[in-house]
Amino acid sequence: MTAEAAHLLTAGVGFLGLLLVYRFVSPRVVPLCFPGYHTLPWEKRIQVNEIFMAGSHSIVVCIASWVAYFTVEEIKPTILWYNCAVVRHTSAFFLGYSIADLGLILCYPHFGDMWFIMHHMVSIISGFLGMHYTSIPYYVNMFLMMELTNPFVNFRFMLKALGYPEKSRLFATTGVLLFISWLIARIIPLPIYVYHMGRLMASGEFFKIEVPMQLCSTFGYLFFTVLNMSWFRIILKLFKRELRGLLKLESAKRALMETNSKKGG
């Protein structure tokens, strides 16, 4: 089996495997934690299944990309070409998921709006290029590392779809963790990416790689940066609200404990 065939197989596993998660795994696993799943209308149940599928994918991609970042010595910002198996297979898996999820969005429009469709189309292009080419693996992996935020995004969407109380501790904690992960994976890496990419361009080395990778690593990253910054404004507001909610919950808990201790005394 050639490397290219192996990558296509990974993409196929991502596509079919995650659709199986959507169709068979989620309806059996989610009710174990949230019994109210069975009482939801059909539209809500399939939405929860899609969210569960997206979250499952993001956990795999997140773990693989962050492990690669810390363990593969050849993933450096100055290396133009390196056939990194982890990065290419993770990109292939990401490609398979993006195609599957885009198909679901097109079948069920309430899963996402036009921005989601555009996001997934750019993701498909990025995933294919990351799978197909061996150039700039450091920058491809930085793109994949953004998935650190999505387990929290999807869990929050799931709680909302299941009708979980938004003022609960679980909801608030998820919002705080989402803010922290967004900073780590999508905001702080931005100047690092621009700095190293700028140095590659200034040296002329950047223009030695394939044109599709040049376009994707600049315009594709710019597209996701615009989305990340616009979403971050919303997440920042949510973080402030959730943090205030957690502080109120803690204050109420302490007050209740003090009242009970006085009664006991």
Side-chain angles (χ1 to χ4, degrees):
M1 180 181 292
T2 65
E4 289 73 17
H7 299 139
L8 290 175
L9 178 60
T10 301
V13 169
F15 176 79
L16 293 176
L18 288 167
L19 285 178
L20 290 175
V21 168
Y22 163 82
R23 181 63 179 85
F24 298 106
V25 178
S26 176
R28 289 161 176 78
V29 173
V30 174
L32 297 178
C33 301
F34 303 98
Y37 171 86
H38 290 301
T39 64
L40 295 174
W42 176 78
E43 292 81 5
K44 284 288 185 180
R45 290 201 304 272
I46 62 172
Q47 186 177 14
V48 169
N49 294 341
E50 187 272 340
I51 294 169
F52 185 88
M53 180 192 78
S56 303
H57 136 269
S58 62
I59 291 173
V60 174
V61 174
C62 169
I63 293 174
S65 59
W66 281 84
V67 168
Y69 180 81
F70 287 110
T71 61
V72 182
E73 296 182 359
E74 290 80 4
I75 299 182
K76 297 179 180 178
T78 55
I79 292 181
L80 292 182
W81 288 281
Y82 175 65
N83 187 8
C84 182
V86 178
V87 172
R88 294 185 70 187
H89 280 286
T90 305
S91 298
F93 185 82
F94 177 80
L95 170 64
Y97 156 75
S98 298
I99 295 173
D101 203 44
L102 178 60
L104 290 175
I105 292 174
L106 294 177
C107 291
Y108 307 107
H110 65 284
F111 283 179
D113 55 16
M114 184 57 64
W115 281 108
F116 270 89
I117 294 176
M118 291 175 60
H119 171 276
H120 279 46
M121 291 179 67
V122 177
S123 295
I124 289 172
I125 296 171
S126 302
F128 173 79
L129 295 177
M131 174 191 75
H132 184 67
Y133 293 108
T134 61
S135 52
I136 53 174
Y138 174 86
Y139 302 94
V140 174
N141 199 58
M142 284 192 74
F143 163 76
L144 296 170
M145 289 168 68
M146 293 183 190
E147 290 297 317
L148 175 67
T149 64
N150 286 349
F152 305 107
V153 172
N154 289 299
F155 187 61
R156 189 178 178 87
F157 282 160
M158 181 176 291
L159 291 176
K160 188 171 183 179
L162 289 165
Y164 213 82
E166 293 193 14
K167 292 185 179 181
S168 65
R169 183 184 299 273
L170 183 58
F171 217 100
T173 302
T174 305
V176 173
L177 292 175
L178 172 58
F179 171 79
I180 295 172
S181 64
W182 203 276
L183 274 179
I184 294 173
R186 295 179 184 256
I187 302 301
I188 295 176
L190 176 58
I192 300 173
Y193 185 99
V194 172
Y195 171 75
H196 289 303
M197 184 61 70
R199 292 191 65 183
L200 273 185
M201 291 181 176
S203 67
E205 292 292 300
F206 174 78
F207 301 100
K208 295 179 181 179
I209 66 173
E210 301 84 358
V211 172
M213 291 298 286
Q214 293 180 27
L215 295 175
C216 185
S217 59
T218 51
F219 294 107
Y221 195 81
L222 177 63
F223 172 79
F224 285 112
T225 298
V226 171
L227 290 182
N228 288 339
M229 297 305 293
S230 61
W231 287 337
F232 185 66
R233 293 178 57 190
I234 300 173
I235 291 170
L236 181 58
K237 293 179 180 178
L238 290 175
F239 169 73
K240 293 178 180 178
R241 188 186 71 185
E242 308 296 18
L243 188 59
R244 286 194 297 267
L246 281 175
L247 292 175
K248 288 181 180 179
L249 286 173
E250 288 297 325
S251 178
K253 181 180 178 181
R254 284 196 299 268
L256 180 61
M257 291 176 63
E258 290 175 1
T259 302
N260 290 335
S261 63
K262 289 178 181 179
K263 289 181 179 179

